[in-house]
């Protein structure tokens, strides 16, 4: 059998509908992933309404798309690619927090192939120049959780922990692993948490007065009273 025929046969042996159905029967995982996607969608919609003309909104759209990819990839048991999309959601949120106020650099990014901005560059910028970040980041332990989560997910994406999120060698063996799925879902939820903290510190506190009341209440859901008071946020 030719390589082409083998690939075709292997792909056709994957029962995608059955994989999705099995995932959807796992109520705990589905709820957790849905909650994560809902939080990302809330941030995406809120920011778009607050800054409708901002040229960097494409990063926010990409953040939301990445969250959808996580859901789809987990449903099909593609856990390592799902980790890559989790990281993409975090990176695009981070890049939006910078490029929203740097239109010249955004043009350079779009037109110059060798222009590069690292995660550390952006976080250092906020540490030096973003008022809310300078005032509150250390008090809430940021960016420690962000860096820790990012490093863990990058280790999965780059294959530094072989087999941790799956050891399948044959496409025809594609199937769910409940332990890995639970680990991946928990990692997604942790990532959404650090994305939210990042967005509050770099965008949300600054724009809070321009957010709609319903959005404010949604964003504050789950936040401790202590942190809400620290950030000076209300739902009005």
């Amino acid at each position: 059998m030719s390589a082409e025929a083998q690939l075709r046969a292997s792909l056709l042996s994957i029962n995608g509908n059955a994989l999705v159905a099995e995932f959807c029967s796992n109520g705990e995982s589905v709820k957790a992933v849905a909650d994560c996607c809902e939080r990302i969608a809330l941030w995406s919609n809120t920011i778009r309404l607050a800054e409708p003309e901002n040229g960097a909104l494409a990063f926010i759209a990409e953040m939301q798309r990445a969250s959808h990819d996580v859901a789809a990839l987990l449903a099909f048991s593609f856990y390592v690619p799902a980790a890559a999309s989790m990281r993409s959601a975090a990176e695009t949120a981070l890049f939006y927090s910078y490029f929203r106020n740097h239109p010249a650099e955004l043009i350079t990014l779009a037109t110059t192939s060798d222009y590069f901005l690292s995660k550390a560059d952006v976080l250092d910028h906020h540490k030096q120049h973003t008022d809310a970040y300078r005032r509150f980041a250390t008090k809430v332990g940021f960016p420690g959780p962000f860096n820790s989560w990012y490093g863990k997910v990058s280790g999965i994406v780059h294959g530094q922990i072989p087999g941790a999120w799956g050891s399948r060698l044959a496409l025809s063996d594609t199937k769910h692993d409940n332990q890995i799925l639970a680990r991946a879902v928990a990692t997604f939820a942790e990532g959404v948490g650090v994305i939210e903290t990042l967005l509050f510190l770099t965008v949300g506190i600054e724009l809070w007065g321009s957010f709609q009341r319903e959005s404010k209440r949604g964003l504050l859901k789950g936040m401790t009273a202590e942190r809400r008071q620290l950030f000076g946020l209300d739902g009005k």
Side-chain angles (χ1 to χ4, degrees), residues 46-106:
T46 300
I47 289 173
R48 283 201 295 261
L49 287 172
E51 299 192 302
E53 303 301 322
N54 196 296
L57 282 174
F59 288 106
I60 292 299
E62 186 70 9
M63 175 185 72
Q64 188 172 5
R65 184 202 61 75
S67 74
H68 296 165
D69 285 352
V70 173
L73 291 163
L74 290 178
F76 283 104
S77 78
F78 298 146
Y79 306 125
V80 173
S85 288
M86 294 176 201
R87 193 178 69 164
S88 178
E91 289 172 334
T92 47
L94 183 69
F95 288 139
Y96 177 75
S97 74
Y98 177 82
F99 286 112
R100 61 183 286 265
N101 289 325
H102 294 82
E105 288 84 348
L106 181 60

Side-chain angles (χ1 to χ4, degrees), residues 34-235:
D35 288 346
C36 287
C37 290
E38 184 179 38
R39 298 300 298 178
I40 294 294
L42 176 59
W43 274 104
S44 178
N45 294 333
T46 300
I47 289 173
R48 283 201 295 261
L49 287 172
E51 299 192 302
E53 303 301 322
N54 196 296
L57 282 174
F59 288 106
I60 292 299
E62 186 70 9
M63 175 185 72
Q64 188 172 5
R65 184 202 61 75
S67 74
H68 296 165
D69 285 352
V70 173
L73 291 163
L74 290 178
F76 283 104
S77 78
F78 298 146
Y79 306 125
V80 173
S85 288
M86 294 176 201
R87 193 178 69 164
S88 178
E91 289 172 334
T92 47
L94 183 69
F95 288 139
Y96 177 75
S97 74
Y98 177 82
F99 286 112
R100 61 183 286 265
N101 289 325
H102 294 82
E105 288 84 348
L106 181 60
I107 292 172
T108 301
L109 179 70
T111 59
T112 306
S113 60
D114 60 353
Y115 177 66
F116 177 78
L117 198 66
S118 71
K119 174 174 67 72
D121 292 334
V122 178
L123 292 175
D124 185 64
H125 167 81
H126 288 309
K127 183 179 179 180
Q128 300 296 325
H129 303 291
T130 301
D131 180 64
Y133 192 97
R134 288 190 291 107
R135 291 165 59 200
F136 303 125
T138 301
K139 293 180 180 179
V140 298
F142 202 83
F146 182 91
N147 288 331
S148 177
W149 177 86
Y150 188 91
K152 176 173 63 177
V153 173
S154 294
I156 298 297
V157 173
H158 294 307
Q160 295 170 349
I161 314 174
W165 278 32
S167 55
R168 166 185 52 76
L169 295 179
L171 283 171
S172 58
D173 293 332
T174 299
K175 60 184 179 180
H176 277 294
D177 182 309
N178 289 331
Q179 289 186 335
I180 296 176
L181 175 60
R183 196 180 310 144
V185 169
T187 300
F188 188 29
E190 182 184 354
V192 171
V194 297
I195 288 171
E196 290 206 75
T197 301
L198 168 73
L199 289 175
F200 269 117
L201 291 172
T202 61
V203 181
I205 295 173
E206 176 190 339
L207 296 180
W208 195 252
S210 62
F211 288 173
Q212 296 184 354
R213 181 181 300 179
E214 184 178 352
S215 294
K216 289 181 179 180
R217 291 176 177 174
L219 292 173
L220 290 174
K221 184 179 179 181
M223 181 182 287
T224 65
E226 180 182 8
R227 181 167 292 194
R228 186 184 304 188
Q229 183 177 13
L230 175 66
F231 289 169
L233 304 177
D234 61 54

